[in-house]
Amino acid sequence: MISTKFSVFTIVADDTGLNTTHPKDIRFYYRDLSGYKITLFMKKMSQFLMVLIAGCVVFSSCRKNDDGPSSPTPLPENMKWVKKVVAGPNDYYSYTYSDQKKLGSYTSKWVFSPEGPIIRTYEVSYQYQDGKVKEAVTQSGGKQLFFYKNNQLDRSEFYFPNGEKYADHQYMYNNIQQLTEIIETIVEPIEVSQVRTQLFYDSKGNLTKRVNQQKMKGANQFQLTSTLLVEQYDTKYHTIPAEIWGQFLPGLILHRNNPIRFKELLPNGTVHQIIHMSYEYDANGFPTARIQHIEMNGQHKPSIRYDYEY
């Protein structure tokens, strides 16, 4: 088994080959911006897409629901966003922001060590036009282009550094503009043709469930790959910019408060792992540190501490 980390998450593969056109099933895990790991089953994936889409979240338009949720409480006037989350000198992720508090860039640094420690860095920058994000570009030249409908993000396109289009994403929302579904359509599928994530929220605007599915080439229905339950939150504001599939989407808020307990379920409903989190706060109630550990088969793994810098 090898372990590597692309941008916002660590990927552990049960196969030593990470060839982007390798047809074999590979089981991936990733560490996202909250630091927890989620299982993903994929067939074909580029390094750029591993960074920007690996995990759990595209038809356009807004889905109406007469019995839909009410709008959550707005964020406070003194809301602040973290600039750096640090687990060690060579293990952190950081953010820059524009004057309008829009995300300007994201950087992740980590140690890659299947055969010895190698320090790696991933960077992505966001370009805006008329106040809307239009393009995300990685340091290797991979791109994500954003398109809007009725002033709301409708779809995006992904391109390899050589300009070849890899996939399309379409986004669906509820009647209060919360993201509820993303569908990825792969341009030249080998085995998996589409990947879908569905999102569910509570009345406070916190994500409570994320359902991950994939559709095989030539199939008519999606297959369940995993389910993530967010079972508990604190009452303080979450200060890390929201991302889904490694994408920092405009206006996306998944966690208004800080998650305390995640549970990942396999397709048969059994528990794969539980992630436990606790926090330290400043005088205004914003988190200054997160301590977390993973529980698997009743066994608790060592804790990791992440310090927040503002």
Side-chain angles (χ1 to χ4, degrees):
M1 179 176 288
I2 65 172
S3 176
T4 183
K5 181 175 179 181
F6 294 97
S7 174
V8 294
F9 33 77
T10 301
I11 297 175
V12 180
D14 293 334
D15 187 300
T16 56
L18 292 179
N19 189 321
T20 60
T21 59
H22 201 291
K24 295 180 63 176
D25 292 347
I26 300 177
R27 186 178 187 180
F28 294 100
Y29 306 89
Y30 76 95
R31 187 184 78 181
D32 76 357
L33 299 179
S34 297
Y36 55 85
K37 294 181 179 179
I38 305 301
T39 303
L40 171 67
F41 297 90
M42 294 292 288
K43 310 292 182 176
K44 175 186 177 184
M45 193 180 297
S46 68
Q47 176 172 336
F48 176 64
L49 267 296
M50 283 180 178
V51 171
L52 292 180
I53 61 151
C56 327
V57 180
V58 187
F59 286 99
S60 61
S61 79
C62 184
R63 179 170 57 191
K64 300 299 180 180
N65 185 347
D66 294 336
D67 299 320
S70 58
S71 297
T73 304
L75 296 175
E77 290 289 335
N78 67 336
M79 183 66 190
K80 59 183 181 180
W81 299 102
V82 71
K83 294 180 180 178
K84 196 172 185 179
V85 179
V86 183
N90 294 313
D91 189 0
Y92 64 83
Y93 37 94
S94 62
Y95 313 84
T96 65
Y97 303 92
S98 68
D99 293 339
Q100 293 76 33
K101 297 184 178 181
K102 297 180 183 293
L103 185 68
S105 66
Y106 167 78
T107 299
S108 180
K109 191 173 185 178
W110 69 96
V111 177
F112 174 77
S113 56
E115 300 176 354
I118 301 173
I119 299 173
R120 293 186 174 178
T121 302
Y122 168 81
E123 297 178 356
V124 60
S125 60
Y126 289 81
Q127 301 177 12
Y128 293 81
Q129 180 179 330
D130 299 327
K132 298 177 182 178
V133 63
K134 297 296 292 183
E135 186 174 273
V137 183
T138 71
Q139 84 272 33
S140 63
K143 291 185 178 183
Q144 180 184 8
L145 304 181
F146 299 89
F147 302 89
Y148 297 80
K149 182 179 181 180
N150 298 327
N151 213 34
Q152 187 172 52
L153 180 65
D154 179 61
R155 63 184 182 88
S156 63
E157 299 176 351
F158 290 83
Y159 293 86
F160 290 114
N162 65 3
E164 177 188 356
K165 187 177 181 181
Y166 174 82
D168 292 289
H169 284 189
Q170 292 182 316
Y171 307 93
M172 183 175 287
Y173 306 86
N174 61 20
N175 58 2
I176 58 170
Q177 284 69 58
Q178 290 174 315
L179 182 69
T180 57
E181 187 171 307
I182 300 180
I183 297 179
E184 176 188 73
T185 301
I186 300 171
V187 174
E188 295 182 2
I190 295 178
E191 294 185 22
V192 173
S193 62
Q194 289 184 312
V195 180
R196 178 170 70 182
T197 286
Q198 296 172 310
L199 306 172
F200 303 85
Y201 305 85
D202 63 17
S203 60
K204 295 181 180 180
N206 284 315
L207 181 73
T208 58
K209 182 168 68 171
R210 190 159 78 179
V211 178
N212 309 306
Q213 302 168 320
Q214 67 182 18
K215 182 185 292 185
M216 305 303 294
K217 184 178 180 179
N220 294 322
Q221 296 182 340
F222 282 92
Q223 301 172 339
L224 181 67
T225 57
S226 67
T227 301
L228 175 70
L229 303 177
V230 191
E231 297 186 322
Q232 187 177 357
Y233 284 89
D234 67 7
T235 58
K236 311 298 184 181
Y237 284 106
H238 185 69
T239 59
I240 296 178
E243 62 82 26
I244 196 78
W245 285 358
Q247 305 171 50
F248 296 88
L249 302 178
L252 178 65
I253 297 179
L254 298 179
H255 311 292
R256 286 181 172 268
N257 303 117
N258 298 289
I260 293 177
R261 177 183 165 101
F262 293 93
K263 181 183 290 184
E264 183 195 359
L265 306 179
L266 297 176
N268 62 6
T270 60
V271 177
H272 175 62
Q273 60 184 358
I274 300 173
I275 300 91
H276 302 270
M277 297 180 176
S278 62
Y279 299 85
E280 298 174 2
Y281 308 92
D282 64 16
N284 294 316
F286 295 111
T288 58
R290 181 180 76 242
I291 300 92
Q292 68 182 59
H293 73 275
I294 295 175
E295 176 187 347
M296 297 186 71
N297 300 320
Q299 301 296 314
H300 294 261
K301 307 297 182 181
S303 296
I304 300 175
R305 179 186 176 93
Y306 297 88
D307 289 301
Y308 290 29
E309 298 178 8
Y310 294 95

